[in-house]
Amino acid sequence: MVLHPKSKVRVAGQEVTFCCKASGTPIPKKYYWYHNGTMLEKKVHRYGHHLTLRGLAPEQAGTYHCKASTEAGAIKSAPAQLTVLAQGQQNCKPEPEPSLVELPSECPQDATGSRYYNVGRCPPAPCAGGHEGQSECGTEAGRCCGVRRMEMREIPCAGSLLPLKVVAECGCGPCAQPRVLVQGRVTAADTGEPLRFGQIFLGGRKVGFTGYKGSFTIEVPPDTQRLVARFVDRQQRFVDAVKVLPFNRRGGTVYQEVKMQRKKEPVDLDGNQSNAIPLGEASGREPIGELILPAGAFLRPSGEVFKGTVKASVTFLDPRDMATAGAASSDLSFTNAEGEIVPLRTYGMFAVDFREGESGAVLQTGPVEVRMDAGQVWMPEHLQKMKLWSLNPETGLWEEEGVLRPAGGSRGKREERTFLVGNLEIRERRLFNLDVPEDRRCFVKVRAYSNEKFNPYEQVEGVVISLINLEPQPGYPSNPRAWGRFDSVVTGPNGACLPAFCDGQRPDAYSAYVTATLGGEELEAVASSPKLNPNAVGVSQPYLGKLGYRRLDHDDPNLKKTAFQINMAKPDPNNVDETNGPIYPYRSLEECEEAPVSANHLRFYRVEVDKYEYNVVPFKESDLTSWTGDYLSWWPNPQEFRACFIKVRIEGPQEYMVRSRNVGGSHPRTRGQLYGLRDTRSVRDTLLENTSGACVEFKCSGMLFDQSLVDRTLVSIIPQGSCQRTAVNSLLREYLSRHPPVAENNHTAAFTMLAPVDPLGHNYGIYTVTDQNPRLAKEIAIGRCFDGTSDGFSREMKADTGTAVTFTCQERPAGRESFFQRLLTAPAEA
């Protein structure tokens, strides 16, 4: 499906056109349209690949999708939502919805003991569109609800007034069109070496190369539903990686680590003889099966039989090895007869590469046999359903090559064994799979939070949640026998719903292993030991007990805290305790996606100990549509986010909070006005005694939102302690003196500068990263800052490299206020 229908809003009496388009061989000519799952009559609506509805009535609201079919198969589009408003009805109310921001710790709490303040938000709902002609497919720009007017408030905080802008009125305007990107790194699954200058394909089209360190950026084409990318190693050391990459439709960047499987060393085969290649004999296990190549099976592309020496590399990906899941290709899905994309459960994949011994020219094969050991199939019902599949590298979908049928035992010591035998010919396709379609499916609800308080309004969007389905050993739910499939979903404003296999009869027939990452940072799961707390996990008893929730470090505290495992116990519809999540039957996807935050769900959270951000103009970094154009906006450009950090070294007996205070410095509209505050706790350097380092964000200098004049931000760096500034990076000092005006640094307990306009780098102790996603820009900059380099990445603080300013701090005599505290209590005097 190359064009999917788009969701639309109309007023009763208007007309609407939905469009879809499928590609295939032969070209699809038959299209069918459905409203809320019921097929619309072709004679009445006279549709082809577009559907026009005139004189809309309220009962025509709902979901619409199309299906295209040929004798080769069928494919369904994604559903589109039609909202029909009554005459005069508003989809965008002028009153803003509540949205809370946390005020700095020095601000007084309100009557309820909260330091949260309602700044309001306009929900990014679509507004009613106008009329459109029959041919207008995909040209509608769209209008959305957004901020029409903001007001400045002043909040009394620690002896001064803290400015804060709040939304006063919402209204309809052009929809924001944020760019949607996927970034990441491609590395070898075994050694971690980067794929240098590898080719990247979307569909059959080459879109670029990976960088020297394996990095890549892909701009997601508009209207994409499934992003299928193929990574090719031009030196042929790795099997091509075909990946279905998750992305955030609401805009911004999602970060992905892509693993490539190393090709098996080729062996020499005689093309005149019959040959057998074992599949999955590594690490002392019995092979899953074998590939039988009869004499004369190898063919040149012309069809001529090749009888010389063949260099044969058959690389098997064994699901009995847990470490292989990350390197598996695609997302184990196929299209059924109804055109729905449905999941497979794998018993192993193999990639083949046959070449002429002397010239290295690629060979194909005539009919060859795949034999699979039936003793490796643990679920008896799977023996009847086992099929052989090949991967379509353009769609990322597996397509059926043939059925595996039971046959007698083979020679030698394996006489007593039963094999499943299937046939295939190896032509252009090179990646094959031993799979069964599995229809016992559910969805798992997972949410990500910005901290351990799990406040509903502090959920994090853009987090990649990954789920691997495991088959545990009977009686040992935490000891997996094999993995069966995997999926990744990006969290939205209401979390994420991940598909997984489940079982209603045996709760532990399948289990799920779940992780969460944001820009390369792993989020932490809720602890399961020493005591399991249902309120923290987010699932009430007794269902939680049935799920057997265990964090990875449950039995061994040395293991990571960034994953959990649960039994995939299908909910019992007759048991009221199991009808409220976190596992939903497959037909209840909508219920899962729209579940309130009070319903059962599983949780991850960011480990951001002692980190605080305050913006005068509120902005939710996980929702780019919440950006507002204002002179005091921290990020002046919603298409490009530039993150700036300064590295501070602190010599002292403990870790200290360090604040950056960011004020307009040179722009006539903002001079002296606050943009925002950032507080960060310093992190100990494990190799240096009594030394810690802090990577503190500051507002970059540059154009403000009107893009007419540069503002040099006036940045003050103030440690919260009895601290003296003892050193400033000489290159940074020289740069600032050469680029006047120079900020006065007359207080030894702080460091003040008019921030540089240039992205200086680690030699100056300044780290700058530009990205389409503010979170990712900050993550990359922090990784470089910790490492003290301009291209590295570390989560361990190296306080003696790449620093801008050094403070020496000591324990304060009892009763004496620090400069930081004096700044809060008596700012004018300080």
Side-chain angles (χ1 to χ4, degrees):
M1 189 63 69
V2 291
L3 177 66
H4 295 262
K6 292 188 181 70
S7 293
K8 299 192 176 177
V9 179
R10 292 289 183 271
V11 175
Q14 287 186 325
E15 69 175 56
V16 69
T17 300
F18 290 113
C19 310
C20 82
K21 191 178 177 198
S23 67
T25 311
I27 292 166
K29 298 240 171 50
K30 290 183 189 164
Y31 287 87
Y32 306 92
W33 284 91
Y34 296 77
H35 176 221
N36 291 340
T38 303
M39 191 163 86
L40 297 171
E41 282 190 48
K42 213 165 195 164
K43 287 178 186 167
V44 175
H45 295 280
R46 299 190 175 167
Y47 56 69
H49 62 86
H50 30 58
L51 166 72
T52 299
L53 304 171
R54 294 182 177 82
L56 284 170
E59 60 270 17
Q60 288 176 284
T63 60
Y64 287 83
H65 77 265
C66 82
K67 183 168 99 175
S69 71
T70 68
E71 57 270 32
I75 187 81
K76 264 187 193 175
S77 76
Q81 190 74 28
L82 174 63
T83 305
V84 180
L85 304 173
Q87 294 287 344
Q89 183 187 350
Q90 285 284 327
N91 206 31
C92 178
K93 296 185 176 69
E95 309 79 46
E97 286 183 355
S99 177
L100 303 177
V101 298
E102 188 181 0
L103 299 175
S105 55
E106 62 267 22
C107 296
Q109 299 177 343
D110 63 14
T112 62
S114 169
R115 266 204 309 274
Y116 285 88
Y117 194 90
N118 181 14
V119 294
R121 71 183 277 272
C122 300
C127 295
H131 298 275
E132 54 185 2
Q134 174 78 31
S135 64
E136 290 192 33
C137 280
T139 54
E140 195 177 351
R143 288 166 60 73
C144 293
C145 195
V147 175
R148 182 159 279 175
R149 188 167 57 83
M150 297 188 87
E151 288 176 356
M152 181 67 94
R153 303 266 169 88
E154 291 189 321
I155 299 148
C157 278
S160 64
L161 293 173
L162 184 73
L164 179 61
K165 288 212 166 184
V166 301
V167 178
E169 187 188 348
C170 302
C172 287
C175 295
Q177 299 285 343
R179 292 170 72 198
V180 180
L181 299 173
V182 176
Q183 287 186 342
R185 230 161 51 103
V186 189
T187 54
D190 53 357
T191 62
E193 70 174 286
L195 174 68
R196 293 192 169 130
F197 313 122
Q199 295 171 314
I200 306 171
F201 293 85
L202 290 187
R205 191 168 55 90
K206 191 197 293 181
V207 294
F209 297 90
T210 59
Y212 183 74
K213 294 202 165 183
S215 56
F216 68 89
T217 299
I218 297 171
E219 182 150 4
V220 182
D223 305 326
T224 301
Q225 294 291 328
R226 256 170 78 85
L227 179 66
V228 179
R230 181 161 57 106
F231 298 92
V232 177
D233 175 22
R234 294 190 293 177
Q235 295 173 10
Q236 291 296 314
R237 294 162 307 158
F238 301 106
V239 176
D240 290 3
V242 178
K243 297 287 180 181
V244 179
L245 298 171
F247 59 95
N248 190 354
R249 283 183 174 67
R250 294 155 65 89
T253 313
V254 168
Y255 185 86
Q256 269 304 95
E257 288 277 357
V258 173
K259 300 291 182 196
M260 289 188 89
Q261 191 182 14
R262 193 176 297 278
K263 281 187 178 175
K264 200 160 179 196
E265 283 297 316
V267 293
D268 287 350
L269 301 179
D270 183 347
N272 288 314
Q273 298 199 355
S274 175
N275 294 283
I277 298 175
L279 301 175
E281 80 289 4
S283 62
R285 292 191 181 94
E286 285 287 342
I288 290 268
E290 56 189 0
L291 186 61
I292 309 286
L293 302 145
F298 295 104
L299 308 172
R300 288 186 164 131
S302 62
E304 174 199 349
V305 174
F306 177 75
K307 294 186 173 173
T309 300
V310 177
K311 290 219 170 285
S313 167
V314 176
T315 310
F316 187 72
L317 189 125
D318 195 336
R320 296 172 298 181
D321 178 359
M322 288 303 301
T324 60
S329 262
S330 185
D331 63 352
L332 290 170
S333 299
F334 75 105
T335 309
N336 67 9
E338 293 301 306
E340 291 181 81
I341 293 178
V342 286
L344 292 166
R345 182 257 184 255
T346 188
Y347 278 91
M349 304 178 188
F350 58 97
V352 299
D353 188 18
F354 300 132
R355 294 175 184 266
E356 294 186 24
E358 287 182 10
S359 70
V362 174
L363 292 169
Q364 301 180 351
T365 78
V368 299
E369 199 175 83
V370 177
R371 298 167 68 86
M372 183 178 176
D373 182 355
Q376 298 290 343
V377 182
W378 297 95
M379 295 192 179
E381 65 271 26
H382 286 178
L383 287 168
Q384 313 308 316
K385 300 193 288 185
M386 189 71 63
K387 292 181 179 177
L388 194 56
W389 309 77
S390 67
L391 183 65
N392 180 332
E394 295 190 13
T395 64
L397 294 169
W398 295 89
E399 295 172 8
E400 192 178 324
E401 288 277 345
V403 180
L404 291 163
R405 297 263 179 254
S410 74
R411 59 204 172 276
K413 62 174 182 172
R414 303 197 197 147
E415 296 283 315
E416 70 288 355
R417 298 207 173 181
T418 306
F419 280 83
L420 299 175
V421 177
N423 295 298
L424 80 153
E425 295 186 13
I426 297 167
R427 302 292 184 193
E428 288 79 19
R429 296 215 179 148
R430 298 279 144 162
L431 193 58
F432 303 94
N433 203 341
L434 302 160
D435 275 19
V436 291
E438 177 60 278
D439 48 15
R440 292 176 290 181
R441 295 176 280 158
C442 290
F443 284 99
V444 184
K445 183 70 177 220
V446 181
R447 297 178 189 271
Y449 292 87
S450 61
N451 56 50
E452 235 179 323
K453 294 174 190 160
F454 304 121
N455 287 326
Y457 40 84
E458 291 187 307
Q459 292 188 63
V460 184
E461 296 178 47
V463 174
V464 180
I465 312 280
S466 299
L467 183 151
I468 301 174
N469 247 128
L470 309 174
E471 245 180 60
Q473 301 276 12
Y476 299 95
S478 65
N479 184 8
R481 174 158 49 210
W483 59 267
R485 76 172 276 109
F486 47 87
D487 268 288
S488 293
V489 177
V490 176
T491 56
N494 200 30
C497 293
L498 287 106
F501 297 142
C502 57
D503 196 294
Q505 265 45 62
R506 282 179 35 227
D508 63 347
Y510 282 115
S511 63
Y513 175 88
V514 188
T515 57
T517 59
L518 178 67
E521 170 204 355
E522 292 184 290
L523 275 66
E524 204 157 291
V526 179
S528 58
S529 66
K531 190 166 177 285
L532 188 66
N533 178 355
N535 292 333
V537 176
V539 181
S540 55
Q541 293 286 22
Y543 198 19
L544 179 60
K546 189 173 176 180
L547 299 180
Y549 176 92
R550 297 161 68 91
R551 193 167 73 177
L552 201 58
D553 65 346
H554 185 86
D555 294 320
D556 181 354
N558 294 321
L559 290 175
K560 292 203 292 189
K561 301 174 170 64
T562 51
F564 66 78
Q565 201 168 315
I566 55 167
N567 296 328
M568 285 303 301
K570 189 174 182 180
D572 177 358
N574 302 315
N575 183 342
V576 70
D577 294 320
E578 299 182 12
T579 56
N580 193 30
I583 298 181
Y584 293 82
Y586 197 73
R587 295 285 166 211
S588 304
L589 173 59
E590 200 172 327
E591 190 188 334
C592 177
E593 287 184 333
E594 293 176 6
V597 75
S598 56
N600 286 333
H601 60 273
L602 295 152
R603 294 169 171 169
F604 286 94
Y605 61 93
R606 295 190 77 181
V607 186
E608 289 206 332
V609 183
D610 302 324
K611 199 171 184 183
Y612 172 74
E613 300 180 357
Y614 175 79
N615 297 326
V616 169
V617 179
F619 171 57
K620 199 175 171 189
E621 287 175 358
S622 59
D623 178 9
L624 300 189
T625 60
S626 70
W627 182 85
T628 313
D630 192 288
Y631 280 101
L632 294 175
S633 294
W634 184 275
W635 307 96
N637 180 352
Q639 295 290 334
E640 192 173 76
F641 296 90
R642 192 159 163 237
C644 294
F645 284 78
I646 183 168
K647 188 165 182 178
V648 179
R649 172 180 167 135
I650 295 186
E651 293 168 348
Q654 58 193 47
E655 295 172 335
Y656 297 84
M657 288 299 282
V658 183
R659 168 168 288 185
S660 81
R661 183 181 168 81
N662 302 267
V663 177
S666 58
H667 195 290
R669 291 290 296 264
T670 62
R671 191 179 291 127
Q673 294 186 64
L674 184 69
Y675 292 116
L677 308 169
R678 297 291 185 267
D679 291 346
T680 309
R681 185 175 288 283
S682 64
V683 176
R684 280 192 187 285
D685 186 320
T686 51
L687 302 176
L688 298 173
E689 201 177 343
N690 286 344
T691 304
S692 61
C695 292
V696 188
E697 188 187 6
F698 63 89
K699 185 186 182 302
C700 306
S701 291
M703 295 284 191
L704 297 186
F705 95 103
D706 62 1
Q707 301 296 310
S708 66
L709 274 178
V710 166
D711 183 40
R712 297 268 310 270
T713 314
L714 182 62
V715 179
S716 302
I717 305 294
I718 314 146
Q720 297 184 24
S722 218
C723 302
Q724 296 282 322
R725 186 181 72 247
T726 49
V728 176
N729 180 305
S730 57
L731 287 174
L732 177 62
R733 192 169 50 219
E734 191 184 321
Y735 175 92
L736 294 172
S737 65
R738 284 205 324 270
H739 294 79
V742 177
E744 287 186 16
N745 255 315
N746 57 7
H747 200 293
T748 58
F751 170 71
T752 307
M753 66 174 179
L754 279 158
V757 177
D758 302 302
L760 296 181
H762 68 286
N763 291 328
Y764 298 79
I766 303 287
Y767 301 84
T768 308
V769 172
T770 302
D771 196 89
Q772 276 71 26
N773 182 322
R775 281 247 165 84
L776 200 55
K778 283 156 60 161
E779 284 299 326
I780 295 168
I782 290 169
R784 291 177 183 174
C785 178
F786 267 61
D787 197 47
T789 62
S790 289
D791 58 358
F793 188 89
S794 175
R795 279 275 176 256
E796 288 185 12
M797 177 56 73
K798 299 170 185 171
D800 59 341
T801 50
T803 52
V805 58
T806 303
F807 290 90
T808 303
C809 304
Q810 60 202 41
E811 293 302 321
R812 200 170 51 257
R816 206 176 97 201
E817 283 190 317
S818 70
F819 172 65
F820 189 85
Q821 286 167 320
R822 296 208 303 283
L823 193 71
L824 299 182
T825 51
E829 183 193 318

